[in-house]
Structure formats: C-alpha cells, structure tokens
Amino acid sequence: QVQLVESGGGSVQAGGSLRLSCVASGSLSSIRTMGWYRQAPGKQRELVATCTRGGTKNYADSVKGRFTISRDNNKSTVYLQMNSLKPEDAAVYYCNAEDSPYGTGLVHNNWGQGTQVTVSS
C-alpha cells in the first residue's frame, strides 16, 4: 500500500502562485505514475498533471504553461508549482500515486486527503 500526504494549499489572489507537495510512504518501489487531480464544487475530479517514474509529464490543457509538475524519486515526493493562478483553478487538489506490486499485474490508485486551493479575483 501507498500513503500520500499533501501540503501547500491555501488562499491566493488571481495571478499569484502556490506550490503543492505530496510525500509518499509505504510500498515506494512499486509506485509508477504520480500526479495531481482537482475537484471543484459540483464538478467531477479532473486530471491536472502527471509524471511517470521516468519523468514523462502530462498536463491538462487548462494548466499548460502555468503549472509545472516535478518529482523527486529519492524523496518519494511530487510537486506542483502553480503560477498565474486563476479563480477557475480553485478546487481541492488531490495527490495520486499509481502503484503496481511486482509480479502481480495489479494496478492500484492511491489518493491523498486533498488540499484546498482558493483563488480570489
């Protein structure tokens, strides 16, 4: 199993920046892709950005050029640097880690507890 703990959320004015962090613990060697998702009130959870163990990154179109995901495998941590924040970026941000224990062929999705990001106009 993998446990995830996020930090770094908060309130910021439009145009500001925040940096989210997520530290993983547990079965670290089985973690593959890590990433961030968000869920605004009344909306479905959506992908923000992901990063594979090898460093391949993927972003939602809505955050390209403004958000940067990075990952430190030695620290089992994934970061999300969010710049030029907009009111529509406000949501609860969830860290995600996909793990696949060796030899099982199984893939598990693990979630953090979420961290609130508020952006005022």
Side-chain angles (χ1 to χ4, degrees):
Q1 276 195 329
V2 175
Q3 295 79 42
L4 303 170
V5 178
E6 303 117 330
S7 61
S11 296
V12 66
Q13 288 192 329
S17 298
L18 284 173
R19 188 192 195 208
L20 306 182
S21 300
C22 172
V23 180
S25 60
S27 302
L28 300 178
S29 62
S30 65
I31 294 176
R32 302 192 312 184
T33 298
M34 296 185 75
W36 293 92
Y37 290 70
R38 66 187 181 188
Q39 187 167 17
K43 295 188 177 181
Q44 288 190 328
R45 190 172 298 188
E46 63 177 4
L47 179 147
V48 176
T50 60
C51 183
T52 68
R53 194 173 187 91
T56 300
K57 301 174 183 180
N58 180 49
Y59 295 94
D61 287 343
S62 60
V63 306
K64 283 180 181 176
R66 300 187 298 121
F67 291 11
T68 302
I69 190 170
S70 59
R71 180 172 172 174
D72 186 333
N73 289 327
N74 291 329
K75 296 181 179 179
S76 303
T77 302
V78 65
Y79 305 95
L80 185 68
Q81 178 66 43
M82 305 186 292
N83 298 329
S84 302
L85 281 160
K86 304 176 180 180
E88 52 263 42
D89 293 318
V92 177
Y93 282 70
Y94 295 91
C95 180
N96 173 271
E98 182 183 275
D99 79 279
S100 180
Y102 180 77
T104 66
L106 300 174
V107 178
H108 302 131
N109 257 312
N110 303 277
W111 296 94
Q113 80 283 358
T115 185
Q116 179 72 49
V117 171
T118 302
V119 184
S120 58
S121 57

